[in-house]
């Protein structure tokens, strides 16, 4: 048996954040101060020290920042993410002989023990550090040599002063003995993404429904709607698929199996004789028109997001040119999409594991590159959980290498671990179960899972109160209070959220009987919307989006906290910025029929408020201001007026 080369006494454990031993990158945002924690455990009572090593990209020289002790052998260090893209980090730790010696010396001095010999031990340690400094910094080398002489001074008073001074301690920390240091087993990664990956407000719009008098809309018609969308404070305009739509097995109104000649079909049945995933539906316009729309949107501080649905209609050119990319049934036909008992005869799924899988993967990758070249940097991906995980891990990694400013939203209403796997594979954001979380306990439990567990380091939720596929029961029957309450929850619980409009702000609520799907679903027909409808929620949506932009507390999920109430129909939570300059408190009445009241129990410190001091809460939904004091305060919410408070916390309290 051979002995180890070096005796590494420090174990590095419990590193956070870390995903599956470094297999997947952690997610962060450009400009973040990225914090790393770990347990540094060594035998005995010797002091330990360590650093976080970090670098941009893969390979190259490391920079480092020292780890600071928190409590109970837990250490932390942080560094700034100054460039967009992939960073690497790891840790190194060692026994700090000088810090150990210095602590023992202090104890001996306090006990009035003889320390002359101990000072000579320290002098030896300082001289060794001086040798390490010699090639790096001539001035530090000289200073350390001088300190070593002071420690050897027969006058122990002078030697003690030198030993316990801050100057020597700082110098020694700069030149530690790391010859027996422990390097962490894994090189970990963090991807710095742009701000919209963490903070965004999405508005989904069917371009074909923007025409006048029921005619098929065009990109020019969408441009005319841009001021409306921008005025409400949204920053992402998401368009369902804009490609040619197949004729074979085209679905009719309300998902009817037989379409009438005038039925436009589902935009997700992609491909016809007019082209496939790199083509545009002729009635929408040309590639030039599309690029003009993308540019016009930017002038309104909007960014166009495209839908990517990797599937094909039976008429897609791929079906004829590459039948090997699809699953063949025993009778020679191609397998259409199914989610029994639902059948989607107008859609053929790709076979990601076919014998010709690599050319298929490359072609799908090229689709993303094509639209990136047209100016798109945000993609909403349809049903990614029904496609290959290895494909996404490869494809998204390659995209990020060339275009680190891209953002991908996973439309994955599926099993929790599969949703998490997609986030690990590279998706920036994900749809969630928010739509079906209704009670106080359900909402709190789900949000704490998303924001306080390891999920928070890589899974970014995007909350949608409705989608073209989903009209939840509470919106069907809860009336205006339900729409407002669910919007407040979506826009304040999560820093990323979206709505399917204009159906949402116009409170479209009639479902196909026995389902959570819209009657006269826009997926299968062209709709006309009256954007000037007096009952529209446009004004309250605008007010909340303005608050999101003005309050940094609402631009992140890290500082979300729930607060007890004595009424289960009242949900209370708060968010604050790291510097506590921005503090918001939200109370929502979850009963959409009746007035509810009760007492909320706050921890004033979480809101940056002194324990028993007076402060003011300003409700941006109504304009009302209330003087509050301490942690226990009364609220009353009538859903027929406004079912929620969105308070900005201000201190000290001022007169209303």
């Amino acid at each position: 048996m051979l002995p180890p080369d070096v005796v590494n006494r420090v174990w590095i454990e419990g590193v956070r954040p870390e995903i599956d031993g470094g297999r997947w990158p952690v997610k962060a945002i450009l400009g973040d101060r990225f914090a790393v924690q770990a347990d540094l455990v060594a035998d005995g009572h010797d002091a330990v020290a360590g650093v976080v090593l970090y670098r941009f990209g893969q390979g190259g020289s490391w920079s480092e920042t020292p780890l600071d002790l928190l409590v109970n052998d837990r250490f932390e260090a942080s560094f700034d993410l100054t460039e967009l893209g992939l960073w690497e980090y790891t840790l190194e730790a060692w026994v700090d002989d000088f810090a150990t010696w210095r602590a023992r010396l202090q104890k001996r001095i306090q006990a009035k023990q003889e320390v002359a010999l101990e000072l000579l031990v320290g002098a030896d340690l300082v001289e060794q550090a001086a040798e390490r400094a010699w090639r790096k910094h001539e001035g530090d080398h000289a200073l350390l040599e001088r300190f070593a002489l002071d420690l050897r001074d027969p006058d122990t008073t002078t030697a003690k002063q030198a030993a316990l001074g801050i100057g020597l301690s700082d110098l020694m920390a700069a030149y530690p003995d790391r010859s027996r240091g422990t390097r962490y087993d894994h090189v970990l990664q963090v991807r710095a993404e742009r701000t919209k990956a963490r903070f965004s407000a999405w508005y989904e719009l069917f371009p074909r429904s923007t025409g006048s008098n029921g005619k098929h809309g065009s990109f020019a018609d969408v441009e005319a709607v841009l001021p409306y969308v921008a005025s409400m404070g949204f920053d992402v305009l998401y368009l369902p698929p804009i490609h040619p739509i197949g004729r074979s097995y085209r679905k009719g109104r309300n998902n009817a199996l037989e379409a009438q000649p005038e039925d436009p079909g589902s935009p997700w049945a992609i491909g016809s004789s007019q082209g496939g995933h790199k083509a545009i539906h002729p009635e929408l316009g040309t590639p030039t028109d599309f690029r003009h729309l993308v540019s016009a949107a930017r002038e309104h501080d909007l960014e166009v997001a495209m839908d990517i649905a990797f599937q094909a209609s039976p008429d897609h050119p791929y079906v004829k040119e590459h039948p090997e990319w699809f699953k063949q049934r025993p009778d020679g036909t191609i397998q259409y999409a199914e989610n029994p008992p639902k059948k989607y005869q107008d859609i053929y799924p790709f076979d990601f594991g076919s014998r010709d899988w690599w050319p298929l993967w490359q072609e799908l990758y090229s689709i993303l590159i094509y639209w990136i070249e047209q100016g798109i940097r945000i993609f909403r991906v349809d049903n990614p959980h029904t496609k290959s995980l290895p494909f996404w891990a490869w494809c998204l990694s390659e995209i990020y290498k060339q275009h680190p400013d891209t953002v991908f939203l996973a439309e994955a209403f599926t099993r929790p671990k599969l949703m998490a796997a997609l986030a690990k594979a590279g998706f920036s954001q994900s749809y969630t179960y928010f739509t079906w979380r209704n009670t106080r306990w359900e909402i709190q439990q789900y949000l704490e899972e998303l924001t306080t567990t390891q999920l928070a380091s890589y899974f970014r939720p995007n909350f949608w109160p409705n989608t073209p596929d989903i009209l939840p029961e509470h919106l069907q029957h809860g009336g205006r209070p339900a729409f407002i309450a669910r919007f407040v929850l979506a826009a304040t619980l999560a820093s990323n959220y979206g709505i399917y409009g204009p159906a949402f702000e116009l409170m479209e609520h009639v479902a196909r009987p026995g389902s959570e799907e819209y009657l006269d679903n826009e997926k299968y027909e062209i709709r006309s919307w009256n954007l000037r409808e007096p009952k529209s929620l446009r004004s309250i949506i605008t007010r909340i989006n303005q608050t999101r932009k003005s309050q940094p507390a609402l631009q992140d999920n890290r500082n979300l906290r729930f607060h007890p109430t004595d009424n289960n129909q009242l949900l209370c939570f708060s968010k604050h910025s790291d510097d506590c300059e921005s503090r918001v408190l939200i109370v929502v009445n979850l009963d959409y029929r009746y007035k509810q009241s009760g007492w909320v129990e706050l921890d004033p410190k979480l809101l940056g408020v002194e324990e028993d001091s007076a402060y003011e809460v300003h409700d941006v939904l109504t304009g009302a201001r209330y003087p509050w004091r301490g942690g226990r305060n009364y609220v009353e919410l009538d859903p027929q007026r406004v079912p929620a408070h969105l308070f900005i916390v201000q201190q000290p309290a001022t007169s209303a």
Side-chain angles (χ1 to χ4, degrees):
M1 180 182 296
L2 296 175
D5 293 334
V6 180
V7 178
N8 300 320
R9 290 177 54 198
V10 182
W11 288 6
I12 302 175
E13 301 179 332
V15 177
R16 292 289 183 272
E18 175 183 324
I19 307 173
D20 297 348
R23 182 181 180 186
W24 310 107
V26 174
K27 291 186 175 69
I29 296 297
L30 177 68
D32 276 356
R33 184 78 177 166
F34 183 69
V36 181
Q37 291 189 3
D39 299 328
L40 306 184
V41 183
D43 56 278
H45 302 288
D46 289 353
V48 297
V51 294
V52 168
L53 301 140
Y54 62 95
R55 61 189 176 192
F56 179 70
Q58 295 175 292
S61 59
W62 293 99
S63 298
E64 60 184 48
T65 184
L67 284 156
D68 295 321
L69 178 63
L70 297 175
V71 65
N72 191 25
D73 292 330
R74 190 72 174 166
F75 287 74
E76 182 179 79
S78 57
F79 57 94
D80 293 320
L81 300 175
T82 56
E83 295 190 59
L84 207 61
L86 201 63
W87 292 69
E88 292 186 329
Y89 63 100
T90 190
L91 301 93
E92 188 172 319
W94 56 90
V95 171
D96 190 335
D97 292 328
F98 178 79
T100 301
W101 168 83
R102 192 169 182 268
R104 290 172 179 168
L105 178 69
Q106 286 178 310
K107 291 178 180 179
R108 288 191 170 98
I109 292 173
Q110 290 171 358
K112 302 186 184 306
Q113 294 179 354
E114 175 58 48
V115 295
L117 188 59
E118 193 68 20
L119 289 167
L120 296 179
V121 172
D124 289 341
L125 293 173
V126 174
E127 286 173 348
Q128 292 166 17
E131 288 296 315
R132 293 191 290 273
W134 181 67
R135 295 183 182 275
K136 297 180 180 179
H137 195 289
E138 187 175 340
D140 288 348
H141 167 76
L143 279 173
L144 286 165
E145 289 283 5
R146 180 54 190 257
F147 272 118
L149 288 174
D150 288 343
L151 292 178
R152 295 185 185 280
D153 194 311
D155 182 355
T156 58
T157 300
T158 301
K160 291 175 188 177
Q161 291 175 346
L164 301 180
I166 295 176
L168 176 58
S169 181
D170 290 345
L171 267 177
M172 291 296 290
Y175 301 99
D177 180 5
R178 293 163 64 167
S179 61
R180 294 189 173 187
T182 301
R183 179 70 66 97
Y184 190 51
D185 294 338
H186 305 293
V187 174
L188 309 176
Q189 295 179 324
V190 54
R191 175 168 285 115
E193 300 180 276
R194 62 188 176 109
T195 301
K196 269 202 176 75
R198 176 184 288 165
F199 177 62
S200 59
W202 293 54
Y203 187 87
E204 180 174 1
L205 178 74
F206 280 77
R208 68 189 186 188
S209 292
T210 58
S212 58
N213 301 319
K215 294 182 179 179
H216 197 293
S218 66
F219 291 139
D221 294 318
V222 176
E223 286 192 32
V225 182
L226 292 176
Y228 168 79
V229 178
S231 71
M232 288 188 287
F234 291 97
D235 49 40
V236 178
L237 175 63
Y238 156 49
L239 307 180
I242 60 173
H243 315 296
I245 299 171
R247 281 278 174 188
S248 297
Y249 302 102
R250 175 175 286 190
K251 296 296 184 73
R253 293 183 60 177
N254 287 308
N255 203 17
L257 290 179
E258 292 188 14
Q260 300 302 309
E262 69 275 11
D263 288 337
S266 167
W268 282 272
I270 296 170
S272 73
S273 60
Q274 297 164 319
H277 284 75
K278 297 177 185 177
I280 291 174
H281 194 295
E283 291 189 77
L284 291 176
T286 66
T288 299
D289 296 331
F290 179 72
R291 289 191 293 270
H292 192 275
L293 169 62
V294 172
S295 177
R298 290 197 186 102
E299 294 176 4
H300 290 276
D301 294 325
L302 283 164
E303 193 168 349
V304 172
M306 269 192 66
D307 190 283
I308 291 294
F310 282 154
Q311 59 205 28
S313 86
D315 303 326
H316 198 296
Y318 288 156
V319 176
K320 184 178 292 185
E321 296 167 3
H322 296 283
E324 69 276 8
W325 288 354
F326 304 90
K327 286 188 177 180
Q328 307 288 327
R329 298 194 293 187
D331 62 358
T333 60
I334 293 176
Q335 175 66 58
Y336 55 78
E338 286 187 275
N339 184 15
K342 295 181 180 180
K343 296 182 178 181
Y344 305 95
Q345 296 92 334
D346 57 341
I347 293 173
Y348 287 168
F350 290 114
D351 183 1
F352 284 81
S354 71
R355 285 182 293 181
D356 205 36
W357 64 273
W358 181 234
L360 169 62
W361 287 26
Q362 291 177 304
E363 176 63 17
L364 299 180
Y365 167 80
S366 76
I367 292 170
L368 290 168
I369 292 296
Y370 174 82
W371 291 109
I372 287 172
E373 290 171 348
Q374 309 312 306
I376 297 299
R377 289 296 187 276
I378 303 181
F379 297 93
R380 180 267 199 189
V381 179
D382 188 70
N383 279 339
H385 55 288
T386 62
K387 284 75 179 175
S388 164
L389 284 172
F391 166 76
W392 290 124
W394 166 78
C395 180
L396 297 184
S397 176
E398 291 300 314
I399 293 290
Y400 290 136
K401 287 176 185 177
Q402 300 177 60
H403 304 283
D405 58 339
T406 49
V407 174
F408 288 88
L409 168 61
E411 188 252 357
F413 296 110
T414 185
R415 306 185 305 279
K417 290 185 180 179
L418 181 50
M419 292 170 70
L422 288 164
K424 292 176 183 179
F427 280 91
S428 311
Q429 305 172 5
S430 178
Y431 284 63
T432 68
Y433 305 132
F434 163 73
T435 316
W436 301 278
R437 297 296 186 264
N438 297 305
T439 68
R440 186 173 79 171
W441 179 87
E442 287 176 324
I443 294 170
Q444 180 171 341
Q445 183 272 337
Y446 188 46
L447 266 295
E448 287 176 346
E449 177 186 355
L450 293 176
T451 61
T452 65
T453 69
Q454 192 182 17
L455 270 178
S457 65
Y458 63 90
F459 185 94
R460 293 199 193 98
N462 192 320
F463 281 5
W464 290 70
N466 74 326
T467 77
D469 295 304
I470 304 169
L471 176 60
E473 189 173 348
H474 50 257
L475 295 186
Q476 294 179 32
H477 307 295
R480 186 181 183 91
F483 276 85
I484 294 175
R486 294 304 291 188
F487 184 82
V488 170
L489 289 171
T492 58
L493 282 169
S495 55
N496 292 306
Y497 86 96
I499 62 171
Y500 155 52
F504 187 87
E505 67 265 29
L506 299 183
M507 294 176 286
E508 184 92 351
H509 65 279
V510 180
R512 189 164 53 81
S515 76
E516 281 194 333
E517 298 179 4
Y518 285 90
L519 184 66
D520 301 327
N521 196 309
E522 198 170 4
K523 287 176 62 177
Y524 307 107
E525 61 182 279
I526 295 172
R527 295 287 302 271
S528 294
W529 302 98
N530 179 11
L531 302 183
R532 295 183 176 86
E533 172 64 53
K535 70 177 183 180
S536 172
L537 298 178
R538 178 179 178 179
S539 62
I540 197 165
I541 289 172
T542 302
R543 206 171 308 144
I544 291 172
N545 276 335
Q546 289 172 342
T547 305
R548 279 168 50 90
K549 291 180 178 179
S550 66
Q551 294 295 320
L554 293 173
Q555 298 170 18
D556 202 342
N557 299 326
R558 288 177 296 181
N559 292 328
L560 172 67
R561 299 292 185 273
F562 289 91
H563 304 279
T565 70
D566 62 358
N567 183 338
N568 280 333
Q569 295 291 351
L570 295 177
L571 176 71
C572 180
F573 58 95
S574 67
K575 284 185 172 182
H576 62 273
S577 59
D578 289 339
D579 59 8
C580 267
E581 291 297 313
S582 171
R583 299 163 292 173
V584 295
L585 178 70
I586 298 94
V587 187
V588 179
N589 180 358
L590 301 177
D591 182 347
Y592 307 136
R593 296 175 298 170
Y594 302 115
K595 180 190 298 184
Q596 297 290 339
S597 62
W599 293 84
V600 298
E601 298 283 350
L602 308 176
D603 181 350
K605 293 181 180 178
L606 288 177
L607 298 175
V609 175
E610 294 298 325
E611 189 67 35
D612 196 39
S613 65
Y615 55 100
E616 183 178 83
V617 291
H618 171 211
D619 188 351
V620 300
L621 301 182
T622 63
R625 296 175 182 271
Y626 303 95
W628 279 16
R629 179 179 292 276
R632 182 174 168 85
N633 292 276
Y634 178 79
V635 295
E636 182 177 286
L637 285 166
D638 182 351
Q640 305 311 317
R641 298 182 62 193
V642 182
H645 288 306
L646 173 48
F647 290 132
I648 297 176
V649 180
Q650 299 172 334
Q651 187 186 22
T654 58
S655 59

